[in-house]
Amino acid sequence: MELFTLPRQQALGKVWLVGAGPGDVELLTLKAYRILKKADVVLYDALVSDEIMALVPADAEKIAVGKRAGKHSAAQDEINQLLVTKAYTRQNVVRLKGGDPFIFGRGGEELETLVEAGVAFEVVPGITAASGTSAYAGIPLTHREHAQGVTFITGHCKLESRPTDWSSYANSQNTLVIYMGILNAGTIQQGLINAGRAASTPVAIVSKATTANQRSVIGTLGELEQLAASPELKMPALMIIGEVVGLATSLNWFNPDEANLSVEETLAVTNQV
Ligand code: SAH
């Protein structure tokens, strides 16, 4: 007797893994904008701003799956499964993430599930928080005289149970950008100093970068923990550690108080171009 296997059911739609950039709605790419405009369903993270969500068609389904420290959010497995389920019934499924989906965004894990389920996808990169913060705080991440390289790391991994090899980040000619590090500022400060990075190394912590609520505190590595506790800082916040931070005083150009273009104004300007 011959065995017949039924052909696998084809997913109707496609998943677009889209980076929304760090906050300023104008930092969205034209491609992300075009995809958002034709979205049937959008699964979005907590970091995606209201201004960007306002671009999504009113009749599209909007599902918040974001994680915020301490608050309940959908588990990663649930999100992965939801993407697959939606792709079976909807044409354009948008998975919208803050910054760039492949930088501390679990974009890779979500795509692996889609591959297993045979769902088609495309990836639209976004401006990552390090780039947005660097630009809007006047801190070039590399500079021929101060830093020959830049490293992005997460400060969120359970630092004590899985110790970070701080010696690989102690090079004084390298800029270190730490995502999700605020709650571990003390461990980061000690780890880097013990590994030989000078306590006098300039550091900046910038919160809500590229938005009208951007705030920066600048000091030295020896003060990192104290700086991270500054009341003016709100989440999300990013740390930049290295000699390039010393350039911020002269290269700083962004005035958050003047950064309140509404989405309508932005689009009106864009349409004139
Ligand atoms: N995929 C995102 C990062 C997600 S991890 C990206 O590419 O930017 C979340 C961390 O990003 C936050 O804890 C914070 O460290 C950083 N971050 C995101 N947006 C930020 C912003 N507007 N200002 C400062 N830090 C930000």
Side-chain angles (χ1 to χ4, degrees):
M1 193 179 81
E2 260 184 88
L3 282 178
F4 291 97
T5 44
L6 284 170
R8 191 179 199 164
Q9 191 197 339
Q10 283 290 304
L12 173 78
K14 185 181 217 178
V15 173
W16 303 83
L17 179 61
V18 178
D24 182 348
V25 68
E26 289 187 290
L27 295 181
L28 205 63
T29 62
L30 284 177
K31 188 158 188 175
Y33 178 70
R34 179 174 63 80
I35 305 299
L36 279 180
K37 282 296 185 194
K38 62 174 191 179
D40 297 309
V41 49
V42 179
L43 288 84
Y44 64 100
D45 280 349
L47 280 179
V48 177
S49 68
D50 295 344
E51 286 90 343
I52 286 174
M53 286 309 293
L55 302 174
V56 176
D59 59 351
E61 188 183 359
K62 301 171 191 80
I63 309 175
V65 292
K67 298 185 185 59
R68 270 282 153 89
K71 293 203 185 135
H72 174 77
S73 60
Q76 190 62 50
D77 284 352
E78 286 173 45
I79 300 174
N80 297 351
Q81 279 317 314
L82 198 55
L83 283 172
V84 172
T85 319
K86 291 294 175 191
Y88 272 83
T89 52
R90 303 300 187 89
Q91 200 80 48
N92 294 307
V93 180
V94 177
R95 174 67 176 110
L96 190 61
K97 289 171 174 282
D100 180 89
F102 278 179
I103 297 199
F104 307 123
R106 304 197 185 186
E109 293 167 45
E110 292 174 12
L111 295 189
E112 279 161 6
T113 310
L114 297 179
V115 170
E116 272 168 36
V119 172
F121 61 83
E122 286 195 31
V123 184
V124 181
I127 292 183
T128 189
S131 297
T133 305
S134 149
Y136 282 54
I139 304 173
L141 295 177
T142 67
H143 186 290
R144 282 195 292 168
E145 277 161 35
H146 306 289
Q148 278 68 56
V150 55
T151 308
F152 298 170
I153 67 168
T154 167
H156 178 67
C157 51
K158 298 194 174 62
L159 290 172
E160 270 139 30
S161 59
R162 203 174 52 177
T164 304
D165 176 17
W166 292 110
S167 58
S168 31
Y169 307 124
N171 175 357
S172 64
Q173 293 294 301
N174 193 63
T175 305
L176 189 58
V177 179
I178 308 186
Y179 288 69
M180 298 172 278
I182 299 301
L183 301 176
N184 285 320
T187 314
I188 294 165
Q189 174 181 333
Q190 271 320 306
L192 285 172
I193 292 175
N194 292 345
R197 194 117 196 198
S200 59
T201 307
V203 301
I205 305 179
V206 185
S207 75
K208 293 190 174 276
T210 80
T211 75
N213 298 314
Q214 175 172 316
R215 297 287 176 272
S216 315
V217 291
I218 291 189
T220 64
L221 181 57
E223 302 163 335
L224 189 69
E225 187 169 19
Q226 202 184 320
L227 294 170
S230 308
E232 63 264 43
L233 294 177
K234 306 275 180 278
M235 296 294 190
L238 194 79
M239 295 172 175
I240 304 182
I241 302 177
E243 297 305 324
V244 288
V245 173
L247 298 165
T249 18
S250 54
L251 301 184
N252 184 22
W253 56 271
F254 177 62
N255 181 354
D257 296 333
E258 290 172 5
N260 50 9
L261 266 187
S262 70
V263 175
E264 288 70 27
E265 277 178 79
T266 304
L267 293 179
V269 174
T270 315
N271 288 337
Q272 284 162 18
V273 177

